[in-house]
Amino acid sequence: MGKIAGSKPPPGVYRDDPDRDDAASTSSAVLMEDVEYPESDLPAYEDVPTVVAPAQSRYHETQSYLIQPELPKSHLSRDESTTATHYPLYSQDAGFLGQMLQDQAKYPPTFTARMVGTHTETRRTKEKQEKVTVTDFDVRLDMTHLLVPNATTPPSLLQHGFETPSPGIKAYRGHRIKTASAAESAEDADAYIDSYVSSPFPVRSFTLNRRIIYHDSAALEALMTSLVGSTNYRGHLKVSFPITHRRVTVCSPCWQNDYREKTWLRWIFYLTFLWIFSWPYLWFVTRRWEVVTAVFPYSCAPDCGSRKFVTKSEHAFFQEWRASIRRAVTGKKQGWIDEEYKLATEEAGPDGFARMPSTGNATADGALGFLRQAVNVGRDVAMAGGWGADS
């Protein structure tokens, strides 16, 4: 296993992002006020990961408590999985490329829990009858901070060096196709970086992968599924754990790499079927290096005996957010829940309404209390019979 030495990340600080465009709730389980704050600027490029307020990406899909430093001449892919940079110095200076990879390896991929509930409805018009899918809720919760070591993290989980493939494992080692290595032992990351920079092939790329290990997604999915089921939800539930910002790719400075990233040009090739000729050409001239991986453990290996975690277990994380998830689901929320939402949930009454101060008038206070109890009874009766079923 090849490694590049890197400094230990500082303890993470759990922060929120109040800047979202969530749909307003139609349920009594949602608070009646929404506070908005101005969007924060991205942080400057630093040598250690700085925990900042989360910000939405340009596609408004990803919210993270850790924002990777922006690389020069870079862009994020539409599916938010890959950051590609065309900065020439990364392909010309091995030391410069190695330092950038060390810096980027300190930042975990964006790790999210997402719960989507849907049901189908049959709608009739004068001319036809059709079935449409209705989204009851789409709740997202960032878990990236669970991968960042803090003061209580066991020392055995602090070493996040680079992994390189064993000689017998096929990988992109500077060729068009995956190949095994003839070496007797795994080459270290420095050797691959040197071979990339010194390669005579003008069209080439070098990729850093970020990988999460030892997270029990099945256990967390079961807990979330059970919680949603406890609300008598009768629709179709999908629990997933999307991972974005998984890769950083360095593209060599050449016209082929520049043009292949232009969306408008790609569409011209698609529509004119020129891709039939361009794809074989690009495959033939491109050399790829995909042999360096930054590993981010959620816990120690399953066979380590007493399981230890970087921050907290899946069950502890679920218990911390249980009330907020339930409130978001029953409130039919569409979007992110964060620390601000959790705090509002804790400050709300058992019925989910914000606590209202006394008016000082016994009659008015009694009327408000009666109205709240009436709403609670109506909601409980509706949920007791199930909600979100197909119709």
Side-chain angles (χ1 to χ4, degrees):
M1 180 185 297
K3 294 185 179 180
I4 294 179
S7 59
K8 183 184 79 174
V13 180
Y14 200 27
R15 296 285 302 276
D16 312 298
D17 176 21
D19 185 13
R20 288 169 306 282
D21 184 18
D22 295 331
S25 170
T26 58
S27 167
S28 60
V30 176
L31 300 184
M32 301 178 179
E33 56 187 13
D34 184 22
V35 181
E36 295 185 357
Y37 295 83
E39 184 177 357
S40 302
D41 294 331
L42 293 176
Y45 194 94
E46 298 180 358
D47 290 335
V48 295
T50 302
V51 182
V52 296
Q56 290 179 339
S57 68
R58 57 176 174 163
Y59 300 115
H60 305 289
E61 288 293 332
T62 300
Q63 177 193 43
S64 176
Y65 290 87
L66 291 172
I67 300 179
Q68 295 86 357
E70 183 176 355
L71 297 174
K73 297 190 68 175
S74 66
H75 66 275
L76 184 64
S77 61
R78 183 167 292 275
D79 63 359
E80 300 186 343
S81 65
T82 305
T83 298
T85 174
H86 294 252
Y87 191 56
L89 196 55
Y90 293 143
S91 300
Q92 300 167 356
D93 188 315
F96 199 73
L97 174 58
Q99 184 60 51
M100 183 273 286
L101 295 177
Q102 289 183 37
D103 294 336
Q104 288 292 316
K106 298 170 185 174
Y107 294 82
T110 302
F111 191 30
T112 305
R114 185 175 185 180
M115 292 147 282
V116 181
T118 61
H119 72 273
T120 58
E121 291 183 357
T122 302
R123 296 181 179 177
R124 298 175 177 81
T125 62
K126 294 182 179 179
E127 299 179 353
K128 61 179 180 178
Q129 174 178 304
E130 61 179 359
K131 286 190 174 183
V132 297
T133 300
V134 178
T135 300
D136 298 311
F137 55 86
D138 186 352
V139 180
R140 307 178 192 185
L141 178 58
D142 195 289
M143 301 191 299
T144 309
H145 61 285
L146 300 176
L147 304 171
V148 180
N150 55 34
T152 63
T153 300
S156 60
L157 298 177
L158 294 179
Q159 302 299 326
H160 292 170
F162 287 112
E163 274 192 0
T164 55
S166 301
I169 302 298
K170 290 187 176 182
Y172 289 105
R173 291 180 165 90
H175 303 282
R176 291 188 299 269
I177 61 176
K178 293 183 177 181
T179 60
S181 173
E184 295 182 358
S185 60
E187 297 184 71
D188 60 19
D190 288 333
Y192 287 118
I193 292 173
D194 290 336
S195 68
Y196 168 77
V197 172
S198 60
S199 173
F201 296 99
V203 187
R204 61 191 192 276
S205 65
F206 192 101
T207 297
L208 165 69
N209 287 291
R210 298 185 177 108
R211 183 161 59 95
I212 301 171
I213 59 175
Y214 306 141
H215 178 264
D216 195 347
S217 299
L220 186 56
E221 178 181 356
L223 290 170
M224 292 179 171
T225 301
S226 176
L227 176 61
V228 175
S230 69
T231 68
N232 288 322
Y233 182 64
R234 298 291 184 261
H236 308 280
L237 174 65
K238 179 181 180 181
V239 179
S240 60
F241 303 95
I243 301 176
T244 58
H245 301 86
R246 301 191 306 266
R247 297 155 52 96
V248 177
T249 297
V250 175
C251 302
S252 60
C254 60
W255 64 267
Q256 292 95 332
N257 280 337
D258 291 338
Y259 285 169
R260 76 201 307 175
E261 299 291 346
K262 297 184 183 297
T263 303
W264 62 268
L265 185 60
R266 287 160 59 186
W267 273 107
I268 290 178
F269 273 69
Y270 292 153
L271 296 175
T272 59
F273 290 92
L274 288 175
W275 63 269
I276 298 176
F277 306 99
S278 63
W279 186 88
Y281 165 75
L282 290 174
W283 178 86
F284 184 79
V285 301
T286 301
R287 299 297 186 273
R288 298 165 62 180
W289 281 257
E290 296 185 14
V291 285
V292 177
T293 301
V295 178
F296 296 89
Y298 185 88
S299 69
C300 63
D303 58 355
C304 65
S306 178
R307 193 172 177 219
K308 298 178 176 60
F309 303 89
V310 172
T311 52
K312 63 183 65 175
S313 68
E314 296 87 355
H315 186 267
F317 171 75
F318 172 76
Q319 291 300 328
E320 178 184 355
W321 288 91
R322 180 188 183 100
S324 299
I325 295 173
R326 182 182 178 88
R327 173 179 160 232
V329 168
T330 57
K332 301 183 179 181
K333 187 174 180 63
Q334 310 275 335
W336 297 91
I337 59 176
D338 52 20
E339 281 286 339
E340 181 188 3
Y341 189 90
K342 185 174 71 169
L343 180 61
T345 302
E346 294 171 352
E347 293 179 346
D351 52 15
F353 280 113
R355 298 187 185 278
M356 300 177 62
S358 174
T359 63
N361 185 297
T363 303
D365 290 342
L368 289 175
F370 178 79
L371 177 61
R372 172 173 294 190
Q373 291 299 323
V375 171
N376 289 342
V377 171
R379 183 190 63 186
D380 293 341
V381 169
M383 292 185 62
W387 62 286
D390 294 341
S391 62

